[in-house]
Amino acid sequence: MYMKEAVVNNQVGLHARPATFFIQKANEFKSSIWVEKEERRVNAKSLLGVLSLGIVKGTSINLIADGPDEEAAISALIELINTDFSE
């Protein structure tokens, strides 16, 4: 299991379009991936799960992955967050 913290700094947070990019990136990996905000943990590959966290600009989240490509998965998702979800 691999875990890393990230802060979402884009204007709209993890909502609609950025969340879609996030989920698409998460689905590229075989590992199980979760997003944790405070006491809630959801599947990072689930749009409804990610949107239900209500992640806004400045929110600190934990990304957790477990599987064969866990470190690569977390690194790719952190990079996506750090570039404000620009494709």
Side-chain angles (χ1 to χ4, degrees), residues 26-44:
N27 275 302
E28 292 176 13
F29 299 94
K30 291 180 178 158
S31 295
S32 297
I33 308 169
W34 299 275
V35 179
E36 196 174 66
K37 176 187 164 199
E38 295 158 3
E39 298 299 311
R40 292 197 53 215
R41 182 185 287 192
V42 299
N43 184 344

Side-chain angles (χ1 to χ4, degrees), residues 22-70:
F22 184 84
I23 285 138
Q24 286 171 342
K25 183 60 74 181
N27 275 302
E28 292 176 13
F29 299 94
K30 291 180 178 158
S31 295
S32 297
I33 308 169
W34 299 275
V35 179
E36 196 174 66
K37 176 187 164 199
E38 295 158 3
E39 298 299 311
R40 292 197 53 215
R41 182 185 287 192
V42 299
N43 184 344
K45 298 178 181 183
S46 162
L47 182 59
L48 285 176
V50 171
L51 290 176
S52 75
L53 290 177
I55 297 168
V56 296
K57 181 177 180 169
T59 301
S60 178
I61 59 173
N62 284 319
L63 299 175
I64 304 149
D66 190 23
D69 52 5
E70 57 192 28

